[in-house]
């Protein structure tokens, strides 16, 4: 069935370092891969996304890469700041669009 | 513009009771989805509604039901509550039924005792 695996579950970095979160999806029909950031007491917020016809996308300090052959995609955050501390979820949406499958989340700690 | 609003923010129920959760989407959004988020896990898809019709259903028992109203707001109903139903229930809206970009509310924290 549909599944998204996410690693690591916890990540601690020093302010200014880079952080990388990796995900693997199972359903080859997935064609949209969003990343969400969830802060305490709030719902997930979309921070960046990538479609299956694109290999890489960047938005300021955040970048995503997609390897559709290997069914891997990753989130890269450069020059991390304390306000980047949150739980990050990768997700995959099937081509018919109504259902998004989320990974289990990565809790990122950025130490000042 | 207001984001997705959910009510109530917190709720405590006992086993066997029934609960109704409410969601108002972003103005102009016609699709509403419901997700369940158990502590320490990612959100799990329950339902999607578009133009008052159910477009998708996740792997949840029939105790879970939902509906969407003409103003695009939505209700999630859960009957015969179990301890395992304790979770954060998230509502997300999107512009149309096949728009994958989800805008989430802050959720309703349901505790079943």
């Amino acid at each position: 069935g549909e599944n998204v695996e996410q690693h690591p579950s916890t990540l601690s970095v020093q302010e200014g370092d880079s952080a990388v979160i990796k995900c693997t999806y199972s359903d080859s029909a997935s064609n949209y891969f969003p990343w969400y950031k969830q802060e305490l007491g709030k719902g997930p917020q979309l921070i960046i996304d990538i479609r299956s016809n694109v290999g890489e996308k960047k938005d300021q300090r955040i970048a995503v890469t997609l390897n559709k052959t290997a069914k891997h995609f990753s989130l890269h955050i450069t020059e991390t700041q304390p306000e980047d501390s949150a739980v990050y979820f990768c997700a995959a949406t099937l081509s018919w669009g109504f259902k998004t499958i989320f990974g289990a989340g990565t809790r990122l700690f950025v130490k000042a | 513009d207001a984001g997705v609003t959910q009510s109530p923010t917190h709720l405590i129920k006992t086993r066997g009771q029934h609960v109704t959760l409410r969601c108002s989407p972003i103005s102009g959004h016609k699709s509403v989805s419901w997700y369940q988020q158990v502590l320490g896990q990612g959100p799990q898809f329950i339902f999607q509604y578009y133009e008052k019709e159910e477009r998708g259903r996740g792997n949840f028992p029939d105790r879970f039901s939902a509906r969407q109203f003409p103003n695009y707001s939505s209700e999630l109903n859960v009957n015969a509550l179990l301890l395992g139903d304790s979770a954060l229930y998230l509502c997300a809206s999107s512009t149309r039924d096949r728009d994958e970009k989800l805008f989430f509310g802050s959720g309703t924290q349901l505790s079943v005792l």
Side-chain angles (χ1 to χ4, degrees):
Chain A
E2 308 130 342
N3 186 43
V4 175
E5 293 190 359
Q6 182 172 348
H7 301 281
S9 57
T10 305
L11 181 58
S12 183
V13 299
Q14 285 292 138
E15 181 178 2
D17 287 350
S18 295
V20 180
I21 302 171
K22 297 183 178 182
C23 290
T24 303
Y25 63 98
S26 62
D27 196 321
S28 56
S30 301
N31 67 347
Y32 174 72
F33 305 91
W35 287 85
Y36 289 86
K37 175 183 180 182
Q38 188 173 26
E39 297 174 305
L40 195 62
K42 298 184 179 180
Q45 180 183 11
L46 179 68
I47 57 172
I48 195 167
D49 54 12
I50 191 168
R51 295 192 181 275
S52 57
N53 58 348
V54 176
E56 185 173 353
K57 182 177 178 180
K58 189 173 182 180
D59 182 4
Q60 299 183 345
R61 298 185 296 108
I62 296 175
V64 291
T65 59
L66 171 65
N67 182 332
K68 202 162 167 43
T69 302
K71 299 182 185 175
H72 291 170
F73 57 117
S74 300
L75 177 72
H76 303 252
I77 305 174
T78 58
E79 301 173 22
T80 53
Q81 302 167 4
E83 51 266 37
D84 293 330
S85 296
V87 180
Y88 291 81
F89 293 97
C90 62
T93 301
L94 301 176
S95 57
W96 49 90
F98 68 82
K99 182 176 181 179
T100 297
I101 308 297
F102 286 79
T106 296
R107 183 171 296 277
L108 174 64
F109 296 95
V110 180
K111 295 177 286 186
Chain B
D1 283 345
V4 176
T5 57
Q6 292 187 242
S7 63
T9 55
H10 295 82
L11 202 52
I12 299 175
K13 292 286 189 178
T14 57
R15 283 178 296 174
Q17 285 189 314
H18 159 271
V19 69
T20 297
L21 311 181
R22 296 178 175 83
C23 171
S24 293
I26 292 171
S27 177
H29 285 196
K30 298 183 178 181
S31 176
V32 169
S33 299
W34 286 94
Y35 286 79
Q36 181 195 65
Q37 186 177 21
V38 174
L39 189 64
Q41 297 183 19
Q44 188 172 1
F45 175 75
I46 309 175
F47 287 110
Q48 193 215 28
Y49 276 78
Y50 176 73
E51 292 282 12
K52 297 175 290 179
E53 290 188 4
E54 181 184 303
R55 292 302 183 95
R57 171 187 284 258
N59 189 23
F60 280 81
D62 292 343
R63 299 184 296 108
F64 289 76
S65 63
R67 55 179 176 168
Q68 186 177 32
F69 298 99
N71 66 353
Y72 303 110
S73 67
S74 178
E75 285 183 353
L76 175 70
N77 294 284
V78 186
N79 292 324
L81 285 167
L82 303 174
L83 296 179
D85 295 331
S86 296
L88 179 67
Y89 288 85
L90 294 162
C91 173
S93 74
S94 55
T95 56
R96 53 186 172 84
D97 62 341
R98 293 184 188 278
D99 184 350
E100 305 95 335
K101 292 183 190 288
L102 299 175
F103 295 83
F104 284 91
S106 294
T108 294
Q109 184 65 54
L110 172 65
S111 297
V112 182
L113 305 179

